[in-house]
Amino acid sequence: MQTASLKIGTRGSKLALAQAYETRRRLQEAHGLPEEAIEIVPMSTAGDRIQDRPLAEIGGKGLFTEEIEQALHAGEIDVAVHSTKDIPTVLPDGLHLSVYLEREDPRDAFIGRNVKKFTDLPQGAVVGSSSLRRQALIRRLRPDLKIVMYRGNVQTRLRKLEEGEVDGTFLAAAGLRRLGLQDVITDLMEPEHFLPAPGQGAIAIESRIGDARIDALLAPLAHRETQIALACERAFLGHLDGSCRTPIAGLAIIDQGQLRFNGMILTPDGTQAHHVSGEGSIADAAAIGEDAAKRVRAMAGSDFFKDW
């Protein structure tokens, strides 16, 4: 397939660029395109520029996508490459998540400065995290630890750890692997104890609805099982109105045509948590996620959500 120059919009961090390069490489391989046929367009987002406050205080997930989506809508770029967990469940009119690349490891990684395992942190140790979900899970498992707000890209967070600002931190294992930094991981958190964010580990490609040329280019990159799992996880998140203000976790696993989902909602202080599970045919992925969300809402009661 021959095509004119294709523009890929992305955040400018090293991780975001690595994900855009991965997308470009796959497009080249799928269509025999030279590298110069696909331009990477790094863009600054509000989420990258504002580093002194938690995301929950300044608008949530859309801060990492809004400017890129505006450029996509205006035709200044042809596709946008995102970390799925950064994308709000409601997209701007005219745009859709057309393709998911094959998901990487969805687990959270603990990186300790003087200890390897999260459970080995001494009483009162300082852990850095800006994720409300991770903060709530940390508080639930280890209420003795001190948690500090910890914004910045992967390299900034690792530098702060090395300099002794914190005793440990959590990052997505997938991001560290994509950056070739998997060796810094000291402990991988198993989902049964530390459930990841919905969409964690998956790269999503956003495009304009009805753009046949782009749809044809992207089609070979689509990973069916990832798309099915994410349909479930994002339905769960969407029905709970999930944002960076809400500690929500969820993971769908596909095995022999069946889907198993585990979800969780927590209060920010970690003192209350409700688990939910569901399973069924992959054809019902979104319905399984939505049903799980309805059941966990009923389980938690209306007061649980009053401050969300």
Side-chain angles (χ1 to χ4, degrees):
M1 180 182 291
Q2 297 299 313
T3 181
S5 179
L6 181 79
K7 293 185 177 182
I8 297 175
T10 175
R11 292 166 60 193
S13 71
K14 286 186 179 180
L15 176 55
L17 288 169
Q19 295 179 162
Y21 295 146
E22 172 72 5
T23 303
R24 179 170 68 182
R25 181 184 66 77
R26 293 186 184 218
L27 284 166
Q28 287 178 250
E29 290 176 354
H31 302 295
L33 297 170
E35 187 175 295
E36 57 269 22
I38 305 171
E39 181 184 354
I40 306 293
V41 183
M43 304 180 71
S44 173
T45 70
D48 296 307
R49 293 190 298 271
I50 302 171
Q51 293 290 324
D52 60 343
R53 282 167 285 165
L55 290 177
E57 291 182 7
I58 53 175
K61 294 186 179 193
L63 293 167
F64 288 121
T65 60
E66 187 175 357
E67 287 97 337
I68 300 172
E69 288 174 329
Q70 288 171 352
L72 180 59
H73 206 281
E76 296 167 10
I77 55 175
D78 298 298
V79 299
V81 175
H82 306 290
S83 294
T84 305
K85 69 175 183 176
D86 290 339
I87 307 171
T89 53
V90 178
L91 302 181
D93 289 343
L95 303 181
H96 67 149
L97 300 182
S98 46
V99 167
Y100 295 99
L101 304 189
E102 183 174 2
R103 189 179 212 165
E104 245 282 10
D105 188 337
R107 291 176 292 181
D108 285 294
F110 174 72
I111 303 99
R113 189 161 57 91
N114 295 318
V115 299
K116 289 189 173 182
K117 291 189 172 294
F118 167 65
T119 51
D120 290 341
L121 282 169
Q123 187 166 353
V126 179
V127 178
S129 177
S130 59
S131 158
L132 285 189
R133 173 190 60 88
R134 288 176 181 148
Q135 290 179 4
L137 286 168
I138 293 165
R139 290 184 173 114
R140 184 161 184 80
L141 293 169
R142 291 286 308 271
D144 61 290
L145 299 177
K146 179 183 178 183
I147 300 172
V148 296
M149 204 266 283
Y150 206 61
R151 294 286 313 281
N153 61 33
V154 171
Q155 290 76 16
T156 298
R157 296 185 203 193
L158 291 176
R159 176 182 54 77
K160 289 179 178 180
L161 174 68
E162 188 176 345
E163 291 173 353
E165 285 192 27
V166 295
D167 298 302
T169 189
F170 288 86
L171 292 166
L176 291 168
R177 294 186 196 283
R178 290 186 180 116
L179 288 168
L181 295 172
Q182 60 270 18
D183 289 348
V184 306
I185 299 171
T186 61
D187 194 14
L188 279 169
M189 309 301 290
E190 295 304 327
E192 56 263 36
H193 304 299
F194 209 92
L195 199 60
Q200 186 158 297
I203 296 172
I205 303 179
E206 189 176 20
S207 61
R208 292 180 290 274
I209 295 172
D211 192 327
R213 179 179 79 94
I214 297 301
D215 287 345
L217 281 169
L218 294 177
L221 277 61
H223 189 258
R224 181 169 174 266
E225 286 197 356
T226 300
Q227 190 128 5
I228 292 166
L230 269 292
C232 177
E233 292 173 25
R234 285 180 63 79
F236 178 73
L237 191 65
H239 193 75
L240 292 170
D241 193 27
S243 72
C244 282
R245 301 179 184 88
T246 54
I248 298 175
L251 180 65
I253 302 292
I254 296 170
D255 183 26
Q256 297 183 340
Q258 291 292 108
L259 183 145
R260 296 194 313 275
F261 174 75
N262 284 292
M264 187 179 189
I265 57 174
L266 305 96
T267 51
D269 63 7
T271 58
Q272 297 180 56
H274 296 277
H275 298 80
V276 67
S277 61
E279 60 181 282
S281 167
I282 58 174
D284 300 321
I288 293 169
E290 185 172 336
D291 176 68
K294 289 177 180 177
R295 285 189 288 117
V296 83
R297 266 188 177 276
M299 192 186 307
S302 57
D303 285 351
F304 188 88
F305 299 93
K306 65 183 179 181
D307 295 325
W308 289 26

